[in-house]
Amino acid sequence: MGRHSLKGKEKPLNIPIVRKVLEVNERIAEENRRLFDEKRILVLNMMSSPGAGKTTLLEKTIDRLKDRWRVGVVEGDLQTTADAERIARHGVQAVQINTEGGCHLDGNMVRAALDKMDLEGLDLLVIENVGNLVCPAEFELGEHAKVVILSVTEGDDKPAKYPTVFRIADVLLVNKIDLLPYIKCDVEVIRETSRQVNPDLRILEVSASTGEGLETWIEWLEERLSRLRRGD
């Protein structure tokens, strides 16, 4: 059994078992999530286009939290360690993942990065994904919440053009609002089109450069950490 004859010679009957990449990734991501839950670490997957201000916003967030929370960061990028070096200057753990051309992080990459970190006592782990509004939306990392950053300089049409990342997000940070007087961007259009694909999306307007709106963002983080610690 399990063989067939071809011109008098028996050949093994190969039955390939194909596992989807996403299915394997979801299993690893779930393992990551169990670890984060065990350690009671709030983990965010932060996504945006290049230049939306992720790293600057993250630096400002760390400065507001580091006296009260222990923060760690996993930086994803195509090349260089520049962003991880920026983050490390703020006195927190930072590990760089270079994807060497890959357009997103995945669960296995994050798991490998965790081996280089001291997770004990960590309160918040932020995974800064590769700058891209498409690929990162498809891959779970084990995070508790997905955060999308959209700069007003990108225009107000992005939620309509790239709906998937807005559909899966828990919170949208509309960044660089200090530039609104100088550019053509309607934040109400961003709100309306985002909520068409995700009615439950929390939308916060912020400016990493001026600090406007960051306290509301910090309050959101504190509320999510409290929920995690309560087991909600």
Side-chain angles (χ1 to χ4, degrees):
M1 294 182 65
R3 293 179 176 270
H4 68 281
S5 179
L6 181 63
K7 292 184 179 180
K9 295 181 179 180
E10 288 197 344
K11 299 283 186 179
L13 182 60
N14 294 319
I15 304 175
I17 299 175
V18 180
R19 293 184 177 178
K20 294 180 181 178
V21 171
L22 289 177
E23 290 176 348
V24 174
N25 181 74
E26 286 171 5
R27 175 178 57 79
I28 297 171
E30 185 56 36
E31 293 172 359
N32 291 345
R33 187 175 293 110
R34 285 197 293 268
L35 174 62
F36 300 144
D37 287 344
E38 176 188 328
K39 303 289 186 183
R40 294 193 173 187
I41 304 170
L42 176 63
V43 181
L44 307 180
N45 180 2
M46 188 172 280
M47 299 171 282
S48 79
S49 298
K54 283 197 307 297
T55 307
T56 300
L57 182 60
L58 186 49
E59 288 178 297
K60 295 299 178 68
T61 301
I62 290 168
D63 285 344
R64 283 166 169 76
L65 290 175
K66 66 182 182 181
D67 291 338
R68 295 177 287 149
W69 294 17
R70 287 186 58 189
V71 182
V73 178
V74 174
E75 284 285 347
D77 216 336
L78 302 182
Q79 300 285 345
T80 82
T81 60
D83 286 347
E85 291 169 5
R86 281 177 61 180
I87 295 298
R89 292 190 194 105
H90 294 263
V92 301
Q93 295 186 65
V95 175
Q96 182 79 47
I97 299 175
N98 289 132
T99 63
E100 306 296 338
C103 61
H104 62 86
L105 298 180
D106 61 30
N108 200 45
M109 293 177 187
V110 171
R111 182 167 63 181
L114 297 178
D115 291 337
K116 302 175 183 177
M117 304 186 77
D118 178 12
L119 300 180
E120 295 302 323
L122 212 61
D123 298 300
L124 173 67
L125 176 64
V126 180
I127 304 168
E128 184 176 347
N129 220 312
V130 179
N132 189 321
L133 283 178
V134 181
C135 303
E138 301 294 334
F139 288 81
E140 293 285 331
L141 307 179
E143 71 274 19
H144 295 107
K146 296 177 175 66
V147 179
V148 176
I149 300 172
L150 177 64
S151 167
V152 297
T153 57
E154 299 173 68
D156 49 32
D157 60 348
K158 295 302 178 289
K161 286 186 173 181
Y162 306 103
T164 300
V165 72
F166 295 90
R167 183 179 299 117
I168 65 169
D170 296 278
V171 63
L172 167 62
L173 300 179
V174 181
N175 192 26
K176 304 186 183 181
I177 57 172
D178 54 300
L179 299 180
L180 282 171
Y182 313 107
I183 61 172
K184 186 178 180 180
C185 178
D186 189 337
V187 175
E188 282 307 309
V189 171
I190 293 174
R191 287 180 173 274
E192 290 172 9
T193 52
S194 297
R195 287 199 167 124
Q196 285 174 7
V197 298
N198 185 354
D200 297 323
L201 182 64
R202 180 76 181 273
I203 302 173
L204 305 176
E205 298 177 27
V206 300
S207 169
S209 61
T210 68
E212 185 178 354
L214 291 186
E215 286 309 312
T216 304
W217 161 237
I218 297 300
E219 289 171 4
W220 183 88
L221 287 172
E222 291 174 335
E223 189 270 336
R224 285 304 298 254
L225 181 60
S226 295
R227 284 171 51 186
L228 176 65
R229 297 272 166 92
R230 292 194 308 265
D232 294 351

